[in-house]
Amino acid sequence: MFSICRQTHPATGIEHAVSCCFFNNEDVCLVTAGANIIKVFRLLPEGPTKEVNAAGQPIPPKMKLECLASYTLWGNVMSMASVRSPSSGRDLLLVSFKEAKLSVLQYDPQTNNLITLSMHYFEEDDMKGGWTTHPHIPWIRVDPEFRCAVMLLYGKKLAVLPFRKDITSEEGDPLEAKPFDDSKKNQPTQPIARAPTLASYVIVLKDLDEKIDNILDIQFLHGYYEPTLLLLYEPVRTFPGRTAVRNDTCAMAGVSLNMSARVHPVIWAIGGLPFDCLQAVPIQKPLGGCLIMAVNSLIYLNQSVPPYGVSLNSIATHTTNFPLRIQEGVCITLDGACVAALGEARLALSLRGGELYVLTLLSDSVRSVRSFHLDRAAASVLTAQMCVIEEDFLFLASRLGNSLLLRVTERENRMLFSVDKPLEATVDLTLTEAERESASREQQKETASDPAAKKRRLDTISDCVATNVIEISDKDELEVYGSDIRTSTQLTSYVFEVCDSLLNTCPLGAASMGEALAAGAARGVELVAGAGRAKNGALCVLQRSVRPLPVTAFHLPGCIDMWTVRGPGGGPVASAEVEAGGAPHAYLILTQEDSSMILQTGQEINEVDNSGFMTNAPTIFAGNLGNNKYMVQVTTTAIRLINNGALLQTLQLEWTGACGAAADPYVCVLSTCGRALVLALREFRAKDGMTARLAPTRQGVSARPPLVRAAPYRDLSGLFTAGLAAPQVKGEFTGKKGKDVKAEGFKPGAVYELNDEDELLYGGDQTPASMASIMLAEQSKNPGVPRRISRWWKKYLTEPKPTYWLFVVRNNGNLEIYSLPEMRLSFLVRDVCAGHRILADSLESVPIITNPVDEEELNTLAPNPEVEKLKELLVVGVGYKGTRVLMLMRFDDDQLMIYQAYRYPRGNLKMRFSRVPVSFPFGRRAAPPAAAADGRDAAVLRDNVRQLRYFSNVGGYNGVFVCGLTPYLLLLPARGELRVHPLAIDEAPVPTFAPFNNTNCPQGFLYFNAKSELRIAALPAHLSYDAPWPVRKVPLRMTPHFVTYHLESRTYCLVASAAAPAAAYYRFNGEDKERSSENKGDRFPYPMQERFCVSLFSPVSWEIIPNTRIEFDEWEHVTCLKNVSLSYEGTRSGLRGYIAIGTNYNYSEDITSRGRIIIYDIIDVVPEPGQPLTKNRFKELYAKEQKGPVTALTQVLGYLISAVGQKIYIWQLKDNDLVGVAFIDTQIYVHRMLAVKNLILVADVYKSISLLRYQAQHRTLSLVSRDFRSAQIYDMEFMVDNTSLGFLVSEADGNFALFMYQPQARESYGGQRLIRKCDYHLGQQVNAMFRIAARQPSPTTLPRRHVTMFATLDGGLGYVVPLSEKTYRRLLMLQNVINNYACHIAGLNPRAFRTYKPLRRGSGAAARGILDGDLVALFPSMPNAEKQDIAKKIGTKVEEIMADLYEIDRMTAHF
């Protein structure tokens, strides 16, 4: 059985996050990784802010995350770190992969992609030391001063990667320095860039110290002369049940790395740490040292001072002998906690339940920690990793919920008096007078008992205020003189505010298909899956296609094209509408073969005659100019300017117009003979108020060589103006950073705001008064926060001035960009239609020529054959404030190329275009060809109908609608990722589209469908379209376990659980169990107990139907939920759908497990008044305890079949009771069962799969065949290809295996053994699979196939679908060839990634046999030359490959 596997929804969980300067040294970005996807985000302010923090400094405004780049790798990211590298212009990214690979990556502006600087592979057999399973994660750790990085190999060795010394020098981007030609002949003279890394080498940990084994964590320490690595390890292991005998087993060692001599002495070691140590956290200077986090305790260690430890709960007191103090008022555990440094002595902790704590280390004057202060700040998402960005923002990366961006602000300063000098004054220099008084009042309260102390303290306060502030400006001086201000600790309480959240559908544990109910009628299928855990639990409703909500429809035959035009707003009512979502559309213009039809759209839609629009010629463009004040209409013969229904101007055209476009205030009309006319709107005052005229621009576009396409564009991104001066933010000082600044006590690298720049530039007196405030501002904050003074967010708040450009493609293949109105050539790309990955400016190397280029030179280029296929050119600004510039080019061979502009340090416009690899999920076909009856003019008209329609506000989104046989919505919302959503298949084809904002249909749209009906529709508002699939996430605040759709009642049945701490448990007392309750006091963390419930969920309102929730008993866990069709004997006959649930009572290992089988019927009842949804209820038919745990259920031939303990039973439902029919003994623990006809497929948690058969006439259940090897099965499903049946299995390591029953094959031992025919490594674990029939173009011809869909635990979705042998062979050759053309980011090979990875050796070689759909899908977005090349190597045509891919896309076009 040949098949292809493709992931259609990427993984959404985030497991790693680092902040680094990814694109250039100025802007700090957030880089996240989850599964095999790396994304880069930047922070954008929502709006200006006037807020200040406790120190009186400006706080950055709330930020949103915008995704600037996304990379898909052929391997899962195991660990990630960044290295500052100012000399190369941007930071390096270190990424490690399973089992021991390390890649050094960097962004490359020349290709707008990640390039691999070096690859390090440590997977040789002698590295593994004879082990075959490797649970250790290859952690990467980087020295804080960026001298080296280390990676842990197999838990036994360390790889050391030294960096060059000059990596941290401030030299700037080498690309910006010297100009060079991009042409081939000048290439060799370019200096070869040296790799940033030196030769790596390996340290064996046993050589450092015999005892080092079982590494728990490795970290670099701060403040050492040489890179010093701390190893936290457990030489001899123990576990909680043995702590009475062996408890303090952990130890730590500090290793100094001398990389030149390669000697590594252990300079510091401590043993006897608690057995439950988890991780080490290095503390920044001035304190230094490290914090050891154990499950129940926190210990601060430093080389020169005695350790200080606290117990966080009462368990720590009797499991360790390490000296611990009790931390008052706290009862927490740190397992699964994440940590990030907020300042030099403050850490943010996120516990496993999502609680956020701020931990402050309080120290005395000799820098030894005297106490910890834990402050519970907030409750948030269950966190996988934390990352601080720009000091004011905390990013919580989560795999189980939506990742959050938090703004951290300091609320107020509470003074805590130092431990050793309690009576000295502590004044916070940044407080205002009023705050000082209140502070002194608080001090009076504290010391009311000691009047003398009170008096002394008040005196010192006044002394302190009077002293000269500048004298104590230098932090080093403060320490030298041991001044009083140093010894106290400021306790800041923090406020965390949520700024943004990244949608995450991970982990998809259970999935079910159901009908999408819109307006009471079922429209297609949607997918409902349970995601998240505990308080982040949710149900995700996923639909692949956009299903418009119909408002109304008219039958209008003969229309070729249509436009909507906004009217000028009049009166206060209209202005309110403008606020709500733009001015309403006043007219609808429909183009017919030889005329135009004008409809006025208000409360109703009527045809009008005297609107000022021309009706006797077909319209080729209509739009608005002058801020929606004027309307312009372009027909094939003339141009008209209209204001409010009155004609202002008519321009007759000398040639026949072919197409037009507008970018306020410019209009561009292109003729059928290859000329262009550009007109500008001029407003002037007349007798009767304002009026306007269209006038051609002074400079025209030269018409030789002939133009093929032209598009005007109004730019707001500021990208096109980068050639001019960068805007300087007012009042910022940007001077030469260097020695002079240091001498005056400035921090180098900071940007200071000053009133008078001259004083700073030329010195003035040594410490100007204005500087004192700066010094103070610097000190009051944590040291090392120069970045906040620079107000780095200001540049995003400056409003860019719009600039105007004209994009022109000529028939010699050149793309030219002219600036309007000067009509100056600013950017030239040769051979633009070849689909190159990067469009570079050919003017980059030559200085710009002011006089026009010689005519002869341009004309020598012959017409380019590929340009003739170019049907349309569109340039739009989308995304945040229109800052993402997309150029779309549509060709008549079904190709749509999308290019995005990006900054590039060279050239006239300082930018380039890079191709966006976009894949159309349902395949792409252009519009149907012209009807045969058309005359020549109509054919030309149809040929020029725009299929790319920009819309500015449909349902709150802006983007491009792609018309044709396969209509799509292209969105690039504020999140910054390009989303491609197909329109529902039953709506296609859509020949034309227009946005429509109307009182009856706000923010809606119009389109024609196949039956030439004009439909008015809106986007369904209950889904979010800023996601890979349109999705709705319904929060449950419980863990969802199972969900299934009940067809008869059209509801979902949901099993979920909520956890609560429990103090009671059951113990075995000889013959029976007895309940006993423990009281361990306040400081004991009680275990959490899950309480299960089942409820009905309505797909109409997306909430749990009231009064349907049924709680299960305490300790009872639901193990399976199935919708089964049983034959009911008794009162009525026939099959009926029931909900069957299997449970188990989990008491303890001493008490025998027993479970129940529960069968519910969902019945209709009279709904309660006012609650129409309560018409469904559960009715319990059967609920009885079984002899063992019930672990799996399904139905076969109308019987119920259940796995109870080690046996499988078949039951018959008779008079509300189950009667046994047959049974069979099985393996260890059966957790999945599937049936088709009379075959039952059984999955064991350890012993792979078996195939059983039930024979009804003999009433026997027998084993047919099974897989002999042991494998951990997660889930399984059937693969149906016409008459052959396969068994697709997902395994624990992220593998797929396809088994078949072939008794005639030799290796099956006469059918006893199932044969593994194909296998594939997905890289993500799959816990939910289901089947749906493949879509057939015509039901008679093709064999019937089923698509097997899967949902992964990383939030991805995909399919496996059978193929015909011919298609498989062709695509297999394509896969082998394309492997050499595809970009292998980080040096990872797709073939190696997709090879089956067995749990242990010797379980047979990889069978392959499943194509990598993700790799094959790269083919359509490759450059044309490479496509031809690949097809030639295979010996086929590009069109045949494209047809195969299109067919696969259409077969799987579901949801």
Side-chain angles (χ1 to χ4, degrees):
M1 188 180 286
F2 304 110
S3 52
I4 184 168
C5 175
R6 172 140 188 230
Q7 201 169 331
T8 51
H9 184 296
T12 57
I14 297 179
E15 296 163 50
H16 312 278
V18 294
S19 72
C20 65
C21 300
F22 183 81
F23 293 105
N24 53 40
N25 281 332
E26 282 74 61
D27 304 335
V28 175
C29 294
L30 167 74
V31 182
T32 65
N36 61 336
I37 289 178
I38 292 182
K39 285 186 178 170
V40 187
F41 295 90
R42 71 170 173 189
L43 275 70
L44 288 175
E46 282 183 34
T49 174
K50 294 275 182 284
E51 296 171 88
V52 292
N53 62 6
Q57 263 142 12
I59 321 173
K62 285 198 169 183
M63 296 283 179
K64 288 267 177 263
L65 290 169
E66 185 193 17
C67 178
L68 293 181
S70 174
Y71 305 100
T72 306
L73 303 121
W74 305 104
N76 288 359
V77 176
M78 302 306 285
S79 178
M80 186 165 69
S82 68
V83 176
R84 293 277 299 133
S85 168
S87 61
S88 60
R90 56 196 62 82
D91 292 357
L92 312 177
L93 207 59
L94 271 57
V95 187
S96 75
F97 305 96
K98 205 133 184 196
E99 299 161 348
K101 301 181 194 66
L102 170 66
S103 294
V104 182
L105 309 175
Q106 193 180 32
Y107 171 76
D108 177 23
Q110 284 187 310
T111 58
N112 193 26
N113 204 343
L114 275 175
I115 51 168
T116 312
L117 299 180
S118 65
M119 291 151 50
H120 305 268
Y121 176 86
F122 301 103
E123 293 180 13
E124 295 91 5
D125 283 346
D126 56 340
M127 283 286 183
K128 300 180 183 176
W131 294 85
T132 55
T133 55
H134 308 289
H136 298 95
I137 294 173
W139 286 315
I140 301 178
R141 301 284 186 258
V142 177
D143 171 52
E145 290 168 33
F146 310 115
R147 293 166 290 192
C148 68
V150 301
M151 179 168 89
L152 183 69
L153 309 176
Y154 301 113
K156 312 270 182 222
K157 299 180 170 69
L158 277 181
V160 183
L161 192 63
F163 297 122
R164 287 189 183 280
K165 293 251 189 339
D166 57 10
I167 185 172
T168 46
S169 68
E170 300 270 350
E171 278 178 4
D173 191 346
L175 199 62
E176 292 172 12
K178 48 209 165 303
F180 63 89
D181 227 309
D182 274 357
S183 58
K184 287 280 178 289
K185 58 179 186 292
N186 298 358
Q187 212 83 37
T189 57
Q190 224 176 294
I192 287 113
R194 292 186 301 173
T197 55
L198 301 165
S200 61
Y201 63 96
V202 174
I203 306 173
V204 180
L205 292 175
K206 286 269 189 226
D207 297 353
L208 302 176
D209 187 341
E210 277 294 283
K211 296 197 294 291
I212 297 183
D213 198 4
N214 305 321
I215 299 283
L216 299 169
D217 198 5
I218 53 175
Q219 292 290 352
F220 276 101
L221 295 175
H222 292 265
Y224 282 84
Y225 175 69
E226 295 218 311
T228 301
L229 192 64
L230 179 136
L231 306 170
L232 183 64
Y233 62 98
E234 190 177 9
V236 186
R237 284 212 163 142
T238 183
F239 69 100
R242 268 185 71 78
T243 48
V245 197
R246 176 189 287 160
N247 49 16
D248 294 330
T249 52
C250 290
M252 57 126 314
V255 181
S256 174
L257 304 177
N258 181 344
M259 289 169 294
S260 49
R262 295 194 181 176
V263 290
H264 316 100
V266 175
I267 56 170
W268 173 33
I270 290 181
L273 296 172
F275 81 102
D276 52 3
C277 289
L278 296 166
Q279 56 179 354
V281 185
I283 302 296
Q284 299 171 12
K285 292 184 290 192
L287 275 177
C290 78
L291 192 67
I292 304 284
M293 288 168 57
V295 176
N296 305 305
S297 52
L298 266 178
I299 300 167
Y300 173 78
L301 302 174
N302 203 340
Q303 200 168 351
S304 50
V305 295
Y308 175 81
V310 296
S311 68
L312 301 174
N313 55 46
S314 61
I315 297 180
T317 48
H318 55 259
T319 55
T320 177
N321 299 324
F322 197 87
L324 299 175
R325 301 189 192 180
I326 289 177
Q327 182 81 16
E328 293 297 334
V330 171
C331 171
I332 57 176
T333 58
L334 294 181
D335 50 329
C338 301
V339 61
L342 285 178
E344 52 184 41
R346 292 195 193 95
L347 303 164
L349 286 174
S350 170
L351 304 188
R352 56 181 287 195
E355 302 89 6
L356 268 180
Y357 280 81
V358 177
L359 169 70
T360 313
L361 278 63
L362 305 176
S363 58
D364 58 17
S365 52
V366 290
R367 291 193 194 165
S368 66
V369 170
R370 290 300 179 88
S371 68
F372 294 144
H373 181 262
L374 265 170
D375 178 30
R376 179 166 178 173
S380 90
V381 67
L382 307 177
T383 310
Q385 189 166 356
M386 288 163 61
C387 164
V388 177
I389 318 164
E390 294 279 22
E391 288 142 10
D392 290 296
F393 294 93
L394 186 64
F395 180 72
L396 307 180
S398 171
R399 194 167 175 274
L400 299 173
N402 294 349
S403 300
L404 298 181
L405 179 71
L406 305 180
R407 182 171 70 167
V408 185
T409 42
E410 305 167 6
R411 192 163 35 200
E412 86 274 33
N413 297 346
R414 294 207 304 281
M415 309 309 298
L416 260 206
F417 295 98
S418 55
V419 193
D420 53 343
K421 307 180 185 171
L423 296 183
E424 281 167 4
T426 55
V427 167
D428 188 357
L429 297 172
T430 56
L431 295 179
T432 58
E433 287 296 322
E435 287 177 20
R436 275 202 196 125
E437 279 172 27
S438 64
S440 61
R441 262 186 233 122
E442 280 172 29
Q443 288 167 347
Q444 286 174 10
K445 279 182 217 139
E446 286 171 26
T447 56
S449 56
D450 180 0
K454 175 176 92 175
K455 182 177 181 309
R456 211 174 333 158
R457 184 170 300 150
L458 285 174
D459 291 348
T460 45
I461 283 183
S462 55
D463 292 349
C464 198
V465 174
T467 51
N468 185 350
V469 208
I470 294 173
E471 286 172 11
I472 53 171
S473 68
D474 194 9
K475 279 195 286 315
D476 300 331
E477 287 180 344
L478 282 176
E479 291 168 15
V480 176
Y481 302 135
S483 155
D484 309 343
I485 295 176
R486 189 67 228 170
T487 58
S488 74
T489 306
Q490 219 170 284
L491 257 194
T492 314
S493 59
Y494 282 94
V495 186
F496 293 90
E497 298 162 279
V498 176
C499 296
D500 202 357
S501 71
L502 299 179
L503 185 84
N504 174 16
T505 57
C506 158
L508 292 175
S512 173
M513 291 183 292
E515 295 165 294
L517 302 174
R523 304 184 57 209
V525 190
E526 69 188 352
L527 188 62
V528 173
R533 214 193 137 65
K535 65 178 187 183
N536 296 138
L539 272 187
C540 294
V541 184
L542 293 143
Q543 296 182 359
R544 176 64 277 212
S545 55
V546 176
R547 304 184 176 122
L549 280 179
V551 179
T552 173
F554 313 96
H555 189 67
L556 276 171
C559 292
I560 297 175
D561 206 347
M562 73 172 159
W563 280 269
T564 47
V565 187
R566 294 181 192 276
V573 187
S575 61
E577 284 175 353
V578 172
E579 294 297 315
H585 288 99
Y587 293 100
L588 167 64
I589 301 169
L590 298 166
T591 303
Q592 281 148 336
E593 197 169 317
D594 48 6
S595 62
S596 299
M597 186 169 161
I598 316 294
L599 304 173
Q600 191 163 4
T601 58
Q603 281 295 346
E604 57 244 5
I605 296 180
N606 310 312
E607 187 170 353
V608 285
D609 293 333
N610 51 359
S611 56
F613 289 101
M614 190 166 176
T615 56
N616 57 2
T619 305
I620 54 170
F621 174 74
N624 288 91
L625 293 178
N627 264 343
N628 298 341
K629 211 171 186 181
Y630 305 97
M631 308 172 213
V632 62
Q633 178 197 19
V634 183
T635 65
T636 47
T637 57
I639 302 174
R640 286 196 168 194
L641 186 68
I642 295 138
N643 177 12
N644 219 357
L647 176 65
L648 292 180
Q649 180 190 17
T650 305
L651 285 167
Q652 292 298 328
L653 296 174
E654 316 163 3
W655 22 258
T656 310
C659 55
D664 193 6
Y666 293 96
V667 183
C668 169
V669 187
L670 197 68
S671 77
T672 49
C673 57
R675 292 163 183 255
L677 173 64
V678 181
L679 305 164
L681 178 80
R682 303 263 163 79
E683 288 196 61
F684 53 87
R685 209 170 244 106
K687 295 193 285 290
D688 48 354
M690 293 297 284
T691 177
R693 285 278 178 273
L694 285 171
T697 51
R698 289 211 180 97
Q699 291 281 330
V701 192
S702 68
R704 296 173 41 213
L707 280 69
V708 183
R709 290 287 169 252
Y713 169 61
R714 175 174 188 249
D715 178 62
L716 286 170
S717 67
L719 270 173
F720 285 74
T721 52
L724 317 169
Q728 182 73 37
V729 180
K730 189 168 151 286
E732 285 208 0
F733 160 65
T734 47
K736 196 89 180 109
K737 302 180 284 218
K739 297 196 281 284
D740 333 336
V741 185
K742 270 188 202 150
E744 297 194 351
F746 276 94
K747 282 220 189 72
V751 178
Y752 294 98
E753 285 213 345
L754 279 183
N755 315 333
D756 194 358
E757 297 189 358
D758 297 349
E759 201 159 23
L760 201 54
L761 287 168
Y762 305 121
D765 56 343
Q766 267 322 100
T767 49
S770 61
M771 270 168 76
S773 57
I774 299 172
M775 301 291 188
L776 278 177
E778 282 258 317
Q779 253 147 15
S780 59
K781 302 175 320 283
N782 314 334
V785 193
R787 184 78 174 142
R788 200 183 283 151
I789 299 182
S790 75
R791 314 249 174 112
W792 50 272
W793 62 88
K794 280 270 185 74
K795 66 175 181 191
Y796 295 121
L797 292 173
T798 52
E799 286 292 322
K801 292 192 179 67
T803 52
Y804 300 93
W805 306 87
L806 181 68
F807 285 66
V808 172
V809 178
R810 301 188 181 271
N811 75 349
N812 58 7
N814 287 0
L815 165 75
E816 299 168 6
I817 304 181
Y818 291 93
S819 62
L820 293 175
E822 305 90 40
M823 213 45 99
R824 186 172 69 224
L825 179 63
S826 309
F827 198 93
L828 173 73
V829 180
R830 304 201 189 281
D831 201 15
V832 72
C833 300
H836 298 299
R837 291 191 176 92
I838 298 287
L839 299 183
D841 188 359
S842 306
L843 308 171
E844 257 178 42
S845 42
V846 289
I848 190 150
I849 305 163
T850 43
N851 61 326
V853 189
D854 293 345
E855 299 272 314
E856 287 79 46
E857 188 192 344
L858 279 173
N859 285 346
T860 49
L861 293 166
N864 187 325
E866 285 189 335
V867 176
E868 291 167 17
K869 296 180 181 170
L870 178 66
K871 284 292 171 222
E872 207 170 328
L873 172 74
L874 174 68
V875 186
V876 290
V878 284
Y880 168 82
K881 290 187 179 173
T883 50
R884 307 290 280 277
V885 184
L886 294 183
M887 178 171 74
L888 295 92
M889 300 196 292
R890 178 176 69 82
F891 296 85
D892 64 0
D893 57 355
D894 300 329
Q895 248 193 312
L896 177 61
M897 294 181 192
I898 303 179
Y899 284 92
Q900 180 173 324
Y902 73 96
R903 280 232 154 88
Y904 182 72
R906 290 253 173 86
N908 175 29
L909 278 187
K910 296 270 184 287
M911 62 165 221
R912 282 183 169 184
F913 288 94
S914 93
R915 184 152 173 198
V916 186
V918 56
S919 73
F920 292 96
F922 288 5
R924 161 132 175 78
R925 282 277 186 276
D934 280 349
R936 181 172 166 271
D937 291 350
V940 170
L941 263 181
R942 272 188 207 280
D943 195 39
N944 282 321
V945 169
R946 291 174 312 144
Q947 286 190 22
L948 306 174
R949 301 291 181 118
Y950 172 74
F951 55 86
S952 60
N953 185 356
V954 168
Y957 296 93
N958 65 349
V960 177
F961 187 90
V962 183
C963 308
L965 274 174
T966 52
Y968 286 94
L969 274 159
L970 254 73
L971 305 175
L972 202 149
R975 178 67 69 238
E977 294 177 72
L978 188 69
R979 313 286 191 196
V980 183
H981 299 315
L983 204 68
I985 278 194
D986 45 3
E987 302 286 344
V990 172
T992 175
F993 166 97
F996 186 57
N997 187 22
N998 181 282
T999 46
N1000 302 323
C1001 177
Q1003 301 183 11
F1005 55 92
L1006 308 167
Y1007 63 97
F1008 275 95
N1009 66 5
K1011 308 184 188 77
S1012 61
E1013 272 185 347
L1014 172 64
R1015 296 197 144 203
I1016 304 180
L1019 272 185
H1022 69 277
L1023 294 167
S1024 156
Y1025 296 91
D1026 194 356
W1029 288 26
V1031 62
R1032 176 182 183 126
K1033 201 168 171 186
V1034 186
L1036 294 173
R1037 303 200 64 80
M1038 296 189 289
T1039 308
H1041 291 277
F1042 303 99
V1043 60
T1044 184
Y1045 185 66
H1046 189 253
L1047 197 64
E1048 287 90 354
S1049 64
R1050 283 191 170 168
T1051 53
Y1052 288 93
C1053 180
L1054 167 75
V1055 171
S1057 71
Y1065 66 100
Y1066 280 90
R1067 57 164 55 159
F1068 189 61
N1069 62 3
E1071 61 276 347
D1072 199 18
K1073 58 183 187 292
E1074 64 172 340
R1075 182 189 171 99
S1076 70
S1077 189
E1078 298 267 341
N1079 183 12
K1080 296 258 191 182
D1082 298 343
R1083 295 191 71 241
F1084 185 81
Y1086 287 99
M1088 304 298 270
Q1089 182 189 341
E1090 298 274 345
R1091 185 81 191 264
F1092 281 73
C1093 67
V1094 59
S1095 50
L1096 283 180
F1097 197 83
S1098 159
V1100 182
S1101 66
W1102 294 115
E1103 59 191 12
I1104 290 175
I1105 299 175
N1107 310 332
T1108 59
R1109 180 167 156 155
I1110 299 176
E1111 292 267 348
F1112 289 97
D1113 303 344
E1114 277 191 344
W1115 310 94
E1116 186 175 23
H1117 283 241
V1118 175
T1119 53
C1120 53
L1121 164 81
K1122 269 277 174 69
N1123 186 355
V1124 293
S1125 309
L1126 304 180
S1127 60
Y1128 186 96
E1129 292 200 4
T1131 47
R1132 27 167 261 283
S1133 58
L1135 293 181
R1136 180 174 162 83
Y1138 297 102
I1139 299 290
I1141 294 177
T1143 71
N1144 173 41
Y1145 287 94
N1146 287 1
Y1147 292 120
S1148 76
E1149 54 189 13
D1150 300 332
I1151 300 164
T1152 317
S1153 281
R1154 292 275 166 92
R1156 289 197 298 166
I1157 293 179
I1158 306 172
I1159 299 176
Y1160 288 117
D1161 193 358
I1162 298 180
I1163 54 168
D1164 291 343
V1165 291
V1166 178
E1168 293 173 22
Q1171 292 183 315
L1173 295 174
T1174 55
K1175 63 179 195 301
N1176 300 110
R1177 267 298 167 74
F1178 282 122
K1179 178 186 170 196
E1180 190 179 280
L1181 293 185
Y1182 175 87
K1184 286 192 183 156
E1185 196 166 283
Q1186 305 297 314
K1187 297 193 180 89
V1190 182
T1191 55
L1193 292 166
T1194 188
Q1195 94 261 351
V1196 57
L1197 306 177
Y1199 297 106
L1200 181 71
I1201 177 165
S1202 69
V1204 179
Q1206 252 100 54
K1207 291 185 169 54
I1208 288 182
Y1209 293 93
I1210 289 192
W1211 310 93
Q1212 185 174 9
L1213 187 61
K1214 260 190 188 168
D1215 297 325
N1216 290 356
D1217 201 6
L1218 288 179
V1219 180
V1221 176
F1223 81 95
I1224 191 172
D1225 285 306
T1226 61
Q1227 313 273 337
I1228 299 173
Y1229 171 39
V1230 170
H1231 69 120
R1232 285 273 200 274
M1233 283 201 293
L1234 283 175
V1236 60
K1237 294 187 174 164
N1238 67 337
L1239 295 174
I1240 303 138
L1241 189 62
V1242 171
D1244 192 276
V1245 91
Y1246 192 71
K1247 289 287 190 187
S1248 198
I1249 56 170
S1250 320
L1251 185 65
L1252 310 177
R1253 180 177 57 178
Y1254 173 64
Q1255 287 156 298
Q1257 66 270 37
H1258 307 298
R1259 302 187 84 169
T1260 55
L1261 188 60
S1262 52
L1263 174 71
V1264 178
S1265 178
R1266 71 184 194 88
D1267 179 23
F1268 287 171
R1269 52 181 203 128
S1270 61
Q1272 297 179 29
I1273 307 296
Y1274 270 25
D1275 200 2
M1276 57 186 186
E1277 187 53 83
F1278 296 112
M1279 288 271 292
V1280 180
D1281 182 8
N1282 213 11
T1283 56
S1284 50
L1285 182 70
F1287 314 113
L1288 185 70
V1289 164
S1290 88
E1291 298 177 3
D1293 283 351
N1295 296 318
F1296 275 140
L1298 179 71
F1299 292 94
M1300 291 189 79
Y1301 175 59
Q1302 291 182 331
Q1304 67 280 9
R1306 218 184 90 220
E1307 62 266 37
S1308 75
Y1309 304 132
Q1312 292 178 42
R1313 177 176 164 203
L1314 290 174
I1315 300 172
R1316 188 172 89 213
K1317 294 299 262 185
C1318 317
D1319 47 37
Y1320 182 80
H1321 181 71
L1322 185 68
Q1324 298 170 32
Q1325 282 125 337
V1326 171
N1327 208 24
M1329 291 158 90
F1330 49 92
R1331 270 178 309 146
I1332 185 166
R1335 268 186 198 273
Q1336 306 298 358
S1338 54
T1340 50
T1341 52
L1342 273 147
R1344 285 179 308 207
R1345 300 195 174 116
H1346 283 192
V1347 183
T1348 304
M1349 302 279 299
F1350 59 83
T1352 76
L1353 294 185
D1354 285 300
L1357 293 165
Y1359 61 75
V1360 184
V1361 64
L1363 297 176
S1364 66
E1365 183 168 358
K1366 184 175 135 205
T1367 313
Y1368 173 81
R1369 296 274 176 231
R1370 184 181 296 143
L1371 293 181
L1372 178 64
M1373 289 194 290
L1374 169 67
Q1375 176 180 302
N1376 293 335
V1377 175
I1378 206 172
N1379 198 3
N1380 305 328
Y1381 285 83
C1383 170
H1384 296 183
I1385 297 179
L1388 296 163
N1389 193 321
R1391 188 177 301 164
F1393 179 50
R1394 294 306 185 193
T1395 306
Y1396 179 79
K1397 313 231 178 342
L1399 200 58
R1400 52 173 58 78
R1401 284 189 190 160
S1403 55
R1408 294 203 161 87
I1410 299 182
L1411 292 175
D1412 182 358
D1414 300 333
L1415 180 61
V1416 173
L1418 295 177
F1419 182 76
S1421 55
M1422 294 188 113
N1424 293 354
E1426 287 187 16
K1427 277 196 218 169
Q1428 302 284 359
D1429 210 19
I1430 292 172
K1432 205 158 113 195
K1433 284 186 178 165
I1434 301 172
T1436 178
K1437 293 195 194 73
V1438 176
E1439 293 76 24
E1440 286 189 358
I1441 298 175
M1442 296 298 277
D1444 285 345
L1445 295 176
Y1446 177 74
E1447 185 196 340
I1448 294 171
D1449 283 337
R1450 293 313 276 179
M1451 274 196 327
T1452 55
H1454 293 291
F1455 303 114

